[in-house]
Amino acid sequence: MDIAYIPSPSTGVIHLGPLPLRGYAFCIIIGVFVAVWYGNKRWIARGGKAGTVADIAVWAVPFGLVGGRLYHVITDYQLYFSEGENWVDAFKIWEGGLGIWGAIALGAVGAWIGCRRRGIPLPAWADALAPAIAIAQAIGRWGNWFNQELYGKETDLPWALKITEGTNREAGLYHPTFLYESLWCIGVAVLVIWADRRFKLGHGRAFALYVAAYCVGRAWIEYMRVDEAHTILGLRLNVWTSIVVFVLAVTYMVISARLRPGREEIVEPEPAKAGTAKPDADSEDKAAAEDSAQATEDASDVDASDVDASDVDAESAKKG
């Protein structure tokens, strides 16, 4: 007899007339809003301006969603392009399937575009957003609960996840890997916040710490999952990805700390104020010409005064 377990929702979508409200999408949207809100607070604390994070997120979020979906479709192509499958399902993002690796990679491209347009260093912006992204992931993982997907092996633990019979799944009690990853991401966020305050991380090192810490958790959580996945030398593809990305993140932290120690003093330059702009070359030439003309005029006045004085002296001599 099962004493306790985590129930799964009977449905992942609620219909308001013709409008479907999907739990998966809600979790992603809520995660994005929380990330922008908290990231904005951290950006202001670093010396940035309110609203900048949201402006750059307008570029980063769409790129991230596309990148996350592309990574999932490419690494799990058999779900959409094998015999008997419908390739159109690859576009149904609301049914689940976002790869964090692709989301971060392509999202970084979008963030780079937004930062470049604002004249902001991408590493500083990424450092401010690092724990906020981890929190967004923690919230977004609950979308898998609504879809009853990405669970682990069977278990009789009190916190087992109850899965109901459905397409490509069997009813039973399984490890709630979505919950494990959600809690791990919260821990990663706390770690990054603490390390950033303690060591004054800068130049992208707070973001690299987030990436490295997430990879550690993702590796062991991925190993517990039972959903179909490609394997290399007996390990799931995402485990190998975690290992490679972890090494890259740690390497970046070490090299960056040696080449650019400390933290950026200015993360968002002040725009030039009206009337304080540096004069251009034409203005300087014009001013120089005016000064030269004035000097010539003054010299002429002096010469004329000398001539008049000479005339006066000569006339005085004749009278004497």
Side-chain angles (χ1 to χ4, degrees), residues 4-6 134-135 137-145 149-162 173-189 213-226:
Y5 58 81
I6 301 174
I135 295 173
Q137 286 180 254
I139 297 173
R141 269 305 175 198
W142 283 84
N144 301 132
W145 177 64
E149 61 184 0
L150 306 186
Y151 44 85
K153 302 173 182 178
E154 288 188 291
T155 181
D156 56 358
L157 292 172
W159 55 84
L161 175 65
K162 184 176 182 180
L173 297 176
Y174 301 88
H175 277 285
T177 51
F178 83 90
L179 178 60
Y180 298 161
E181 186 167 339
S182 180
L183 294 176
W184 183 268
C185 287
I186 294 296
V188 170
Y214 172 75
C215 287
V216 173
R218 181 60 186 267
W220 70 265
I221 292 172
E222 186 74 22
Y223 188 75
M224 295 178 64
R225 284 167 44 172
V226 295

Side-chain angles (χ1 to χ4, degrees), residues 288-304:
E290 291 177 352
D291 293 341
S292 178
Q294 184 64 39
T296 303
E297 183 179 348
D298 293 341
S300 299
D301 291 341
V302 172
D303 293 341

Side-chain angles (χ1 to χ4, degrees), residues 218-220 222-223 235-244:
R218 181 60 186 267
W220 70 265
E222 186 74 22
Y223 188 75
L235 294 179
R236 293 165 66 96
L237 175 61
N238 281 329
V239 174
W240 284 109
T241 304
S242 297
I243 294 173
V244 172

Side-chain angles (χ1 to χ4, degrees), residues 190-270:
V190 173
L191 171 64
V192 174
I193 293 171
W194 171 81
D196 193 30
R197 291 177 178 176
R198 174 67 176 80
F199 303 105
K200 303 296 182 183
L201 300 177
H203 302 286
R205 290 189 287 277
F207 184 82
L209 175 60
Y210 144 70
V211 172
Y214 172 75
C215 287
V216 173
R218 181 60 186 267
W220 70 265
I221 292 172
E222 186 74 22
Y223 188 75
M224 295 178 64
R225 284 167 44 172
V226 295
D227 53 299
E228 184 179 357
H230 297 288
T231 60
I232 300 176
L233 299 178
L235 294 179
R236 293 165 66 96
L237 175 61
N238 281 329
V239 174
W240 284 109
T241 304
S242 297
I243 294 173
V244 172
V245 175
F246 172 82
V247 172
L248 293 176
V250 172
T251 301
Y252 176 86
M253 291 178 63
V254 173
I255 295 177
S256 175
R258 292 180 179 178
L259 298 180
R260 308 184 70 182
R263 174 187 284 181
E264 301 92 337
E265 294 184 1
I266 299 176
V267 297
E268 189 167 2
E270 289 286 345

Side-chain angles (χ1 to χ4, degrees), residues 56 58-61 63-64 105-116 122 125:
I56 297 175
V58 170
W59 289 91
V61 173
F63 274 73
L106 208 55
V109 174
W112 176 80
I113 295 174
C115 287
R116 187 175 178 84
L122 175 61
W125 188 85

Side-chain angles (χ1 to χ4, degrees), residues 36-55:
V36 172
W37 169 77
Y38 185 56
N40 183 65
K41 290 176 65 68
R42 283 179 52 84
W43 181 251
I44 294 174
R46 287 288 303 274
K49 298 179 181 178
T52 297
V53 168
D55 292 342

